[in-house]
Amino acid sequence: MKLGFNEATALKCKGQSLMADLEACEKYGFDYIEIRFDCVREYLKDHTLEELADWFKNHNLKPWAYNTLEFFNQRDEAGEKEIDEHVDFIIEVCKAIGMKMLITVPTCNVKDKSVSEIKEEAVARLRYLSDKVGSDIRISLEFCGTPFCSINQFGTAYDVVKAVDRDNVGITVDTFHFHEMCSKIEDLRNADGKKVFVYHLNDCEDLPLGSCGDDKRLWPEEGVVDHAAIASALKEIGFDGVCTIEEFRPEYYEMPHEENVKKAAEVTKAFVKKYFA
Ligand code: ZN
């Protein structure tokens, strides 16, 4: 199992930037980084994609995924145009630096739409995006564990991915999101491990289910997520990808940037050793 770092983890630390994340991730032994849309746009104000590609050529750390293509479904015409433009940018970034994945999250607050209507439309949108990015880039659908998200459980997201039926469309298992909307471990056990493209690692405070925002995330094993069950299901179905830490916690943003990345590396390594050795 490889180790990944999502830039959200240190996003608001003093001194954070894409380059600071890259250097610290290299130093503390991460294999992959998930690059955030806002961090890469900030980087490109003073740098080029060629410079970024050069950096990766000269380091062990590699780019894993683009995070995130937000709100891909249930959009109006202007919204779909926005998605097209964003995807054009993502393709440009991916091609330049050899990144092969984009993560996408569903739209929230779609009033009066039934789950079957949501699924049907999401399948059509993902097929469209699958064609648009081409076979060299994979799309990972990340359901979000909030009552307001149009796709908020593993089972629903997996139904969509299965119906899309494309090699380059799969699913993200984010342990916080999995816990928050009571996704079923049986659904994960019955899934095809090859369809799990991304594994986001974190934990969650012991608060009423569905009530937590991302700021209630904790370092893995410091909260109430049933990691043993999720990890054993992932092993059972043959998942062997990247385990990527992803936090959004204000207290962690108070840490010096390098300490944050160092801590993230320590807990991710310990977690992978415990559950996947
Ligand atoms: Zn996530």
Side-chain angles (χ1 to χ4, degrees), residues 209-242:
L209 290 164
S211 73
C212 292
D214 283 317
D215 60 323
K216 304 300 183 199
R217 290 178 182 222
L218 291 162
W219 298 121
E221 308 251 72
E222 290 189 5
V224 293
V225 170
D226 189 355
H227 283 296
I230 296 171
S232 84
L234 284 170
K235 272 202 286 193
E236 238 172 78
I237 62 174
F239 171 77
D240 183 27
V242 179

Side-chain angles (χ1 to χ4, degrees), residues 25 29 42 58 61 121 133-135 137 156 159 180 227 265 267:
C25 283
E42 190 61 33
N58 296 310
L61 186 74
E121 195 261 357
V133 299
S135 58
I137 297 176
T156 320
D159 285 348
E180 267 296 277
H227 283 296
V267 299

